[in-house]
Amino acid sequence: MTKQIQGNYFEDFRLGQELRHATPRTVTEGDQALYLSLTGARFALNSSAAAAREVGYDGLPLDDWLAFHLVFGKSVPDISLNAIANLGYAEGVFRQPVYPGDTLSTVSEVIGLKQNSNGKTGTVYVRSRGAKADGTPVLDYVRWVMVRKRDPDSPAPEPHVPELAEAVPAAQLELPANTNFAKFDTGLTGQPHLFEDFVQGERIDHVDGMTVEEAEHQMATRLYQNTARVHFNQHQESQGRFARRIVYGGHVISIARALSFNGLGNAIKVAAINAGRHTKPCFAGDTVYAWSDVLETMALPGRGDVGALRLRTIATKDRPCADHPLTDADGNYDPSVILDLDYTVLIPRRA
Amino acid sequence: MTKQIQGNYFEDFRLGQELRHATPRTVTEGDQALYLSLTGARFALNSSAAAAREVGYDGLPLDDWLAFHLVFGKSVPDISLNAIANLGYAEGVFRQPVYPGDTLSTVSEVIGLKQNSNGKTGTVYVRSRGAKADGTPVLDYVRWVMVRKRDPDSPAPEPHVPELAEAVPAAQLELPANTNFAKFDTGLTGQPHLFEDFVQGERIDHVDGMTVEEAEHQMATRLYQNTARVHFNQHQESQGRFARRIVYGGHVISIARALSFNGLGNAIKVAAINAGRHTKPCFAGDTVYAWSDVLETMALPGRGDVGALRLRTIATKDRPCADHPLTDADGNYDPSVILDLDYTVLIPRRA
Amino acid sequence: MTKQIQGNYFEDFRLGQELRHATPRTVTEGDQALYLSLTGARFALNSSAAAAREVGYDGLPLDDWLAFHLVFGKSVPDISLNAIANLGYAEGVFRQPVYPGDTLSTVSEVIGLKQNSNGKTGTVYVRSRGAKADGTPVLDYVRWVMVRKRDPDSPAPEPHVPELAEAVPAAQLELPANTNFAKFDTGLTGQPHLFEDFVQGERIDHVDGMTVEEAEHQMATRLYQNTARVHFNQHQESQGRFARRIVYGGHVISIARALSFNGLGNAIKVAAINAGRHTKPCFAGDTVYAWSDVLETMALPGRGDVGALRLRTIATKDRPCADHPLTDADGNYDPSVILDLDYTVLIPRRA
């Protein structure tokens, strides 16, 4: 058994450890077409190279979540192959745009470790950084996962839980170099609403629903070279807790983002991930709906052309979101809720 | 609800109104690969850049129906989001070839309006034009759809039904600039039959059948950024008339065209759409078959290298077409028929 | 019926006959993305253009099996449309790398014919050669198929069974021009094992399983423009022996190769096909597992940077391979075995 990939167990991680993840990946127009085809994304800067160039990009940038999934996927064999649960995200910042031809790779640093009281598992916190071959940073984020111990008798490490920001502040958002959204043309999206039209506390139902098929989530997850076994092996999962393959949570994020075009069509770019939970598994056959809560409207220092919205997007399965399902009086999630994502998007300002 | 896309209702349309549709789209080699993968297309000029260059193209042109679906898809949010039925097509002309890197957008003009006698719906006629960012025309066509009224009490517009040609005449077909098909090599297709080998009234069974899967038609329709809800939302459709998602009619057209390679392998290009009806819905699990009737053989003015065939291609589901199923004695379609398409293709002439 | 593709019957083949197959195909980055998405492949040289250039390639080469399937697919309409069984492969050699933009075509030569004793069928041996438009050889291989006779009364040809090598010897392997793997970085794959770490007789379980969906194998097989009807037509197959569409055997090969990354991650390239049998059909819903037996370790003449491993990879369905399922005491395949493939891979040597 020594030649196979074993993944790391809780006791294999060390605070400060750096993991260089395998299989760098050159992204292409093929990835972009598949992403549209699998998610239904329609945001202007990722659909039209002409529109992207108009605001200062060098070409058609990869959808931010496509870049995220590729960077994330590389970390799976080292970080979460033996994970029980993906617990959270924080401090995610999207940096420079990715274009076809760029080769992405990922490095993670262990920034926290805490054994659980049962002695069988522990929480590992990592900061993962995606970059191009020339070192240009693409995105970085913190995630924490519950990982099995190989040997329950191995000693617990000194507990260290990192302090994480509740949200990425406006001053830490990074805008693509040389962009200017003052000339952004809402005719591209067919939606007139810009930064000034959104107010804190506003809730937007994204109306449409998208049913997920096995072939679709498998194709998406393989495209990202994410090797987590629960997504692909029905023979094994048929004996598992759900008797089903589980849809990669990132595919749900992508569908929710794609659905959010209906109402947030001018939210042209994802700038940050503040927090996120996959509150329940999604399975093939489920129909995903979504709605968003505007948590905050943020002016950006030195930018009169573009602002930011901090959003909380909730995805449900098999339940329309006209009444914004979320939690009951006790704070328990509505049974339909599968995603609770806190993130920040850029949206042009009115000239 | 004010931020969501509402689509237009019958009373929102005005004769002569021009609608600039959202989400221009840069097409790539990724779209071409997905199109082959989803439809089984094998026509020579869309498979081999070498073959395309040999007859005068600048590279590998997009399949004509892929270009059509992209142009059509853009018009859905404005024209047919509140439509009950897609009633017909006419006067479709394919103009200059589309290459990877081109950005397509669509503009539609309202050319006819007629309220139905029930007062609840009306027919809207539009001419949609697809063009590249530099204005080069790609294709244009008329379609008419039955659209709901928002308010049944709103006044009926002055009825205006446009006069539409029964078919696009040879003189109005547009050939790609700088092409010469005199050197077309039938070894590329493995089929010897050229323009001179086809006669009016000839019927060709395309033999093969292709079963459609949910993931396939969803991926195709999302690739075209066509947002019609009936194709994607099983949760909602399970309560609908068919209890199923409906396959986008254009996907059936593409499969029928791909099947027609068997017998019409040298019909290298679609030149016009004369008329078309989706006579019955197609669902995942259905196996599509097709046959074609040669309605007319058309010499092209000034072209000794290439001619045109006006074809009627019938697609069926779950019924082979060796006996050319069409209508019964009363003119009712055979229950298996799902598409009745009248279109014109180019085919090289014998040297 | 004269315009349709009929395929060749046994009596249509002649010893020494050369068949130029239809539909040359320009390959693109779209094909590469789809291949990753459909198979889960993660080998370094086909994932990262930077990694490929580092060892001497001109860009991101097509996965060897993707090139094989494209070359193979072209031969189907002429060789195996009327085949009952694909009996074997031999003498397959992968030659120069294929890059996006290359146009592939296939020519086959009939190198053997032998009518079966029942008088109704015969075995046809062909050597198929895939090449680029400029004549650069891409790969060639022998396969033999059992083909129906159109007319059982037609005379049997003089029997001729070609002598085929048991395996491609090291001296006949062809390495991509200008490559040097001495600098190959195992950090790219996350696996340390190189040529020197493998010994003859070693067995490696590839651990992971991959469930195949109908949409996936249909999309893969259409991408290769392989027209064998059993893969696509559920309406017809529902009346057939298995009542199911059969997954293209090449898709199983690709999945087995992708799974083999787990344990053979540095086996960067396929160099030869020595022999192969599709021992049982694979259907949608089956979960494919695989294990490999190292048949031979081969030094390569004049190359200190890279060696070769002759592998036997066994794929099963719905059965993990920790205990290396193969045959029973009587030599009959374990009922789970669907593929028995003997091939040769390149793997860098320790510096």
Side-chain angles (χ1 to χ4, degrees), chain B residues 29-30 32-34 36-44 47-51 60 185-191 193-194 197-199 202-213 215-216 219 261-264 285 287 289 318-320 322, chain C residues 1-6 20-34 37-38 70 74 77-78 81 100-104 133 213-227 229 231-237 245:
Chain B
E29 294 179 341
Q32 294 178 302
L34 268 161
L36 290 191
S37 182
L38 290 163
T39 68
R42 285 177 286 149
F43 288 93
S47 286
S48 165
L60 192 70
D185 172 6
T186 58
L188 294 168
T189 66
Q191 296 183 52
H193 308 101
L194 294 173
D197 301 311
F198 292 85
V199 295
E202 181 173 359
R203 297 181 155 200
I204 303 161
D205 172 22
H206 302 306
V207 181
D208 306 308
M210 183 65 71
T211 306
V212 179
E213 298 294 323
E216 293 170 2
M219 287 183 68
F261 183 82
N262 194 342
L264 287 162
T287 299
Y289 292 89
D318 296 338
R319 187 187 189 295
Chain C
M1 282 288 289
T2 59
K3 287 208 168 66
Q4 292 86 348
I5 296 164
Q6 306 295 318
R20 177 192 167 203
H21 304 302
T23 57
R25 172 90 144 69
T26 302
V27 298
T28 71
E29 294 178 340
D31 296 303
Q32 293 178 302
L34 268 162
S37 181
L38 290 164
L70 287 162
K74 311 223 155 305
D78 297 316
L81 204 65
D102 288 342
T103 299
L104 299 183
E213 298 295 324
E214 298 281 13
E216 293 170 3
H217 77 83
Q218 291 199 147
M219 286 182 68
T221 311
R222 280 188 299 244
L223 190 70
Y224 313 143
Q225 298 183 313
N226 176 331
T227 60
R229 292 161 183 165
H231 309 315
F232 301 115
N233 186 331
Q234 180 58 30
H235 178 252
Q236 181 176 290
E237 291 307 310
R245 280 163 281 177

Side-chain angles (χ1 to χ4, degrees), chain C residues 24 29 31 35 44 46 114 118 138 209 223 230 274 292 331 342-343:
Chain C
E29 294 178 340
D31 296 303
Y35 189 79
N46 311 115
K114 185 169 186 306
N118 64 13
V138 165
L223 190 70
V230 294
N274 301 308
S292 295
D342 178 341
Y343 63 114

Side-chain angles (χ1 to χ4, degrees), chain A residues 302-321:
Chain A
R303 300 290 297 237
D305 58 326
V306 65
L309 301 179
R310 183 177 165 199
L311 301 172
R312 184 183 190 183
T313 292
I314 303 296
T316 63
K317 58 182 186 183
D318 296 339
R319 187 187 190 295
C321 293

